[in-house]
Amino acid sequence: MLTVPEFRHRKRDGKKVIVVTAYDALFTRIAEQAGIDVLLVGDSLGVVVQGKRDTLAVTMDDMLYHTKLVAGAAQRSLVIADMPFLSYQVSVEEAVRNAGRLLQAGAAAVKLEGGAVVLDRVEAMTKFGIPVMGHLGMTPQSVHRYGGYKVQGKEQGQAQALLADAKALETAGAFSIVLEAIPAPLAKTVTDALTIPTIGIGAGPHCDGQVLVLYDLLGLFDDFTPKFVKPYAHLKADALQALRRYKEEVEQGKFPTDSESYH
Ligand code: KIV
């Protein structure tokens, strides 16, 4: 099992951290067989599993369910669970309780979005032994503030604020920070300024690790594909072909044959 301290030491050792999202036991086992280090039970499940337009409707119950599936199947990877919208914004107390529930469901750490506004949450969780990953840049739970999924940190003021947030998260106790959809040079500046690993998604090659949404990486989800996604497979096309052939063969009486029948 990769531990949180081992994850942190990857930066010192110069070994990239490989992260993908996971939502169920089947893909957890496949990702582990491929040697993936970290499984993030992302609230992106609201979009890729539940079919919503954004992540805002994902609930604690949804996250607990999917965290149990992933953590139940994981044998060697570090499982991190996303804190969904409204599970940590209302008060420090609620944030700590909900983070603790995700650990009870099997996660080893939680991730939450935001900088200065969540520092007291990060401090409290860390104090009580809950490892916290930060998330800066284009934070999807703020999609309505941005007016869409847009690259952040392009202006100097924004970039300076993001760097200050990253340093403050580290001081508050975060063991790592996801940097999403920010210019690569800014991600490098942040990565160089921190002693904790940065994990990039749409943040260029200089981060200490990378994360992608599993269904994007596998070419399963193509409702919209951000510039930073590289599909390493085309499983949607394969699935479509398989399903069409199955339909055709049943219609034509070619399936099942004798070899798929009991005698
Ligand atoms: O919810 C998610 O999957 C995420 C990653 C894309 C970083 O937050």
Side-chain angles (χ1 to χ4, degrees):
M1 243 330 154
L2 182 74
T3 64
V4 169
E6 284 163 359
F7 179 118
R8 278 196 67 157
H9 291 150
R10 287 286 185 90
K11 182 163 185 130
R12 184 195 62 195
D13 301 340
K15 188 164 187 263
K16 295 269 187 191
V17 184
I18 318 300
V19 187
V20 297
T21 64
Y23 316 105
D24 64 23
L26 178 69
F27 277 115
T28 293
R29 291 196 200 103
I30 295 174
E32 286 207 333
Q33 275 180 39
I36 299 297
D37 297 315
V38 179
L39 300 174
L40 171 67
V41 188
D43 62 355
S44 51
L45 68 86
V47 179
V48 297
V49 177
Q50 297 176 338
K52 307 262 170 57
R53 246 196 323 219
D54 53 49
T55 59
L56 297 176
V58 177
T59 64
M60 269 302 294
D61 283 344
D62 296 333
M63 292 310 302
L64 289 168
Y65 173 73
H66 287 279
T67 300
K68 280 182 196 156
L69 299 185
V70 172
Q75 297 199 323
R76 37 160 302 279
S77 49
L78 181 75
V79 176
I80 303 177
D82 245 342
M83 298 204 66
F85 183 59
L86 282 191
S87 70
Y88 59 95
Q89 285 87 348
V90 176
S91 68
V92 174
E93 285 78 6
E94 272 193 45
V96 173
R97 184 175 298 111
N98 285 322
R101 291 175 73 203
L102 289 166
L103 259 61
Q104 286 177 328
V110 298
K111 174 168 83 57
L112 50 74
E113 298 181 6
V117 286
V118 297
L119 293 180
D120 51 357
R121 275 77 170 153
V122 176
E123 263 170 28
M125 289 176 199
T126 310
K127 196 167 71 188
F128 291 115
I130 302 171
V132 185
M133 176 181 248
H135 187 161
L136 295 173
M138 203 291 295
T139 45
Q141 290 173 15
S142 302
V143 61
H144 294 306
R145 176 149 57 88
Y146 306 136
Y149 296 107
K150 296 180 178 154
V151 179
Q152 300 297 303
K154 288 210 268 193
E155 272 124 48
Q156 210 191 345
Q158 265 190 349
Q160 275 165 355
L162 192 144
L163 178 60
D165 278 345
K167 288 180 179 168
L169 280 171
E170 172 168 346
T171 306
F175 72 94
S176 173
I177 301 177
V178 167
L179 299 175
E180 179 160 357
I182 62 170
L186 173 59
K188 180 171 181 347
T189 304
V190 174
T191 300
D192 292 346
L194 301 182
T195 64
I196 55 173
T198 57
I199 305 297
I201 173 162
H206 305 294
C207 295
D208 300 301
Q210 295 290 328
V211 57
L212 278 178
V213 170
L214 183 69
Y215 295 179
D216 288 341
L217 181 165
L218 296 177
L220 262 175
F221 183 82
D222 62 0
D223 289 5
F224 55 88
T225 309
K227 174 184 163 75
F228 56 75
V229 168
K230 177 170 175 182
Y232 284 85
H234 300 281
L235 295 197
K236 181 178 170 185
D238 290 350
L240 273 173
Q241 202 186 18
L243 290 165
R244 283 183 184 132
R245 274 190 57 205
Y246 165 66
K247 177 175 181 280
E248 216 174 82
E249 290 197 1
V250 173
E251 281 169 354
Q252 295 171 358
K254 291 185 182 162
F255 175 84
T257 63
D258 205 42
S259 59
E260 287 100 16
S261 305
Y262 294 107
H263 297 287

